[in-house]
Every structure is written in structure tokens, then in C-alpha cells.
Amino acid sequence: MNNPFAELVGFTLRLGRQGSGSCTAALEVRPELLNPNGVVHGGALFAIADTVMGAALYTTLEPGENCATIEIKIHFLQPVSRGKIRCSTRLVHRGRRIAVLEAHISVGRLQVAQALGTFAIFAPRPAPVKAAGGAKRRRLSQ
């Protein structure tokens, strides 16, 4: 799965098997990810959770289906200033149009964040078809 955002931030994705609803990722802490207090910015942890949950859901999609984040709630449990951040995600529920996933983020054996996300599942809308012949419509007068 090509993911330019994951490459930009610097984490690697490992998708679970097709249909598994699982995915993992790893990210080495580096200075660019730290906030002014010297700990990993919450946005970096949120981004990895969001991306890994979407990738986990991706393993369950049928051809032509897409998904998008509806909302995510994240609990930051411990500050992170060094080490390798790991995120593992699992599918909690998948319906026809909505899915719920959870992500656990850890450094070593210490859990540093937990997230729960809701995602939409949809098929792209077909492009509108233009009328053939370019005929103009006339308004009928009364």
C-alpha cells in the first residue's frame, strides 16, 4: 500500500492479511517530532493512530470501496521523548457503511496512548453524465 503521508512522517506500515482488519506501524522518535517541551507532539501520535486505523480498515474493503475518518478520540497516557513508537490497530466493528477501530500506541512495554476511531465506508460516486447533443431546454410559458 503506497502511503505518501506515512513516508513523509517517517513511519512504516505493515498491513495484516486481507480481511484481518489489522495493521501495525513503527516510528523512531527524532527531533522534528518533538514539541517545545521536548516530547513527541500529540499530533504525531494522532497521525500515526489515524493512518494505521485507516490502513487496518483498508484490508477489509471490497474493490471500489474507500474509507474516511469520521472521528477519533485519543487518550495520551505517557509523554514520549525517545525510542521507537509502535502502533497496533484492530477492527472492533465493521458494518456496511461504518467501522470502529482501536489503536494502541506504545514505546517498549509502556503504553503511551490509546485511540478509538469511527470511519465511513463508501464507494466513489460516478462522474455526472453530460447530456448528449447539447440540446437546450425551453421553459414552457403559461
Side-chain angles (χ1 to χ4, degrees):
M1 170 182 200
N2 180 33
N3 191 313
F5 180 76
E7 291 174 20
L8 173 70
V9 177
F11 56 88
T12 55
L13 291 172
R14 278 191 227 148
L15 294 174
R17 72 184 188 298
Q18 185 63 32
S20 69
S22 64
C23 182
T24 61
L27 173 66
E28 196 69 44
V29 174
R30 55 187 202 280
E32 300 85 8
L33 299 175
L34 302 180
N35 68 20
N37 298 321
V39 297
V40 173
H41 192 285
L45 296 177
F46 186 95
I48 196 171
D50 180 36
T51 304
V52 178
M53 284 191 280
L57 181 55
Y58 181 81
T59 69
T60 72
L61 298 180
E62 297 293 328
E65 285 185 321
N66 289 314
C67 63
T69 308
I70 294 174
E71 66 87 27
I72 295 176
K73 178 174 180 104
I74 189 165
H75 297 275
F76 299 107
L77 305 171
Q78 297 286 327
V80 178
S81 57
R82 58 188 150 85
K84 184 176 262 187
I85 300 168
R86 296 188 188 278
C87 181
S88 62
T89 298
R90 76 175 187 92
L91 181 66
V92 174
H93 170 78
R94 188 199 193 284
R96 201 168 52 89
R97 299 274 180 236
I98 300 288
V100 176
L101 295 100
E102 67 180 3
H104 294 272
I105 303 170
S106 58
V107 174
R109 298 178 74 194
L110 180 66
Q111 186 174 357
V112 298
Q114 181 172 340
L116 185 68
T118 307
F119 289 73
I121 301 166
F122 56 92
R125 292 183 181 169
V129 178
K130 293 184 179 181
K136 294 182 180 179
R137 292 185 181 181
R138 286 196 211 172
R139 192 175 173 122
L140 298 175
S141 59
Q142 294 178 335

